[in-house]
Amino acid sequence: SPPPNDKMAPHDEGGIAKYKGVKMLGEGSFGKVWLVTSDEKPGKTFALKEVAWDELSDMGEAQATKLRDQLTAEVEFLTNCKHEHIIAFEESFGARAVRARLFPNEVVQSSMFDTLELEEDDDEIEPREDPTISGPICLCIVMEHAAGGDLESVIVNAKNKKTKIAEERTWKWTAQLLCALG
């Protein structure tokens, strides 16, 4: 878990409750990205980036502190970055058991004993600890979802398919980038 003096550590305040999982979009070294929807904004999809904040300590305290500082700076930057040509930041929050809460109807067998049925004379089984209050804390960053992918994925895809991107399209992107930076 994060060090006691870690003031930036996210806390689970229930922000994830408004989101429903659709599917996983990707997975990296430090977390996952989920496609989600929200009843509060029907018809919109979002990308929820989940970073295992507590587990960053496994890489060593100096590196974990550096990564936590970068994540904190990313959230601060995204919070202040508002432009029509930049993917919109929705919110960030802490959450436990992200997958279980995004996909509450998903059956996950955590052990071979989950599938056993109790016989009438069996003793009661101790209730399992609720992972939503006991699991590792994750930082969740929710962004507008770009269905067509980001600029990097479009360029990589074109390169892999050995297709050219039209010059007109690259000028449009350049103008949008300059406008967003200005």
Side-chain angles (χ1 to χ4, degrees):
S1 71
N5 62 352
D6 189 354
K7 294 179 185 140
M8 297 309 297
H11 302 284
D12 192 341
E13 297 172 1
I16 198 164
K18 66 178 102 171
Y19 296 101
K20 291 182 176 64
V22 176
K23 66 178 182 177
M24 185 190 299
L25 292 174
E27 187 170 7
S29 302
F30 304 109
K32 298 176 174 104
V33 179
W34 304 95
L35 179 64
V36 298
T37 60
S38 172
D39 289 338
E40 292 181 6
K41 296 190 177 181
K44 284 194 77 168
T45 55
F46 302 93
L48 186 146
K49 178 179 177 181
E50 164 197 3
V51 181
W53 190 272
D54 283 355
E55 294 172 14
L56 295 178
S57 296
D58 295 346
M59 65 177 57
E61 203 49 50
Q63 196 173 2
T65 299
K66 182 179 178 183
L67 189 55
R68 287 182 179 130
D69 289 345
Q70 289 173 341
L71 288 165
T72 301
E74 178 182 350
V75 169
E76 287 175 18
F77 174 78
L78 292 170
T79 301
N80 297 315
C81 198
K82 295 176 185 358
H83 193 278
E84 66 179 315
H85 297 307
I86 297 176
I87 298 295
F89 171 78
E90 189 68 20
E91 66 177 326
S92 67
F93 50 82
R96 296 182 189 280
V98 173
R99 181 181 184 139
R101 292 168 80 182
L102 290 176
F103 301 93
N105 297 325
E106 183 177 69
V107 177
V108 178
Q109 183 176 340
S110 60
S111 76
M112 66 179 188
F113 300 108
D114 286 346
T115 57
L116 297 177
E117 293 183 22
L118 288 174
E119 298 293 325
E120 285 182 33
D121 59 343
D122 285 344
D123 292 328
E124 283 188 32
I125 292 180
E126 290 287 319
R128 271 193 221 109
E129 206 171 307
D130 183 354
T132 62
I133 58 172
S134 65
I137 193 76
C138 293
L139 171 65
C140 296
I141 302 171
V142 184
M143 306 283 296
E144 169 184 41
H145 177 246
D150 61 8
L151 182 57
E152 179 185 17
S153 64
V154 172
I155 293 169
V156 168
N157 191 29
K159 182 179 177 183
N160 291 342
K161 289 183 175 180
K162 297 183 178 170
T163 59
K164 293 184 178 183
I165 298 172
E167 183 180 354
E168 181 180 296
R169 193 170 184 194
T170 60
W171 280 114
K172 182 178 179 181
W173 290 338
T174 303
Q176 289 175 344
L177 285 168
L178 291 172
C179 186
L181 291 172

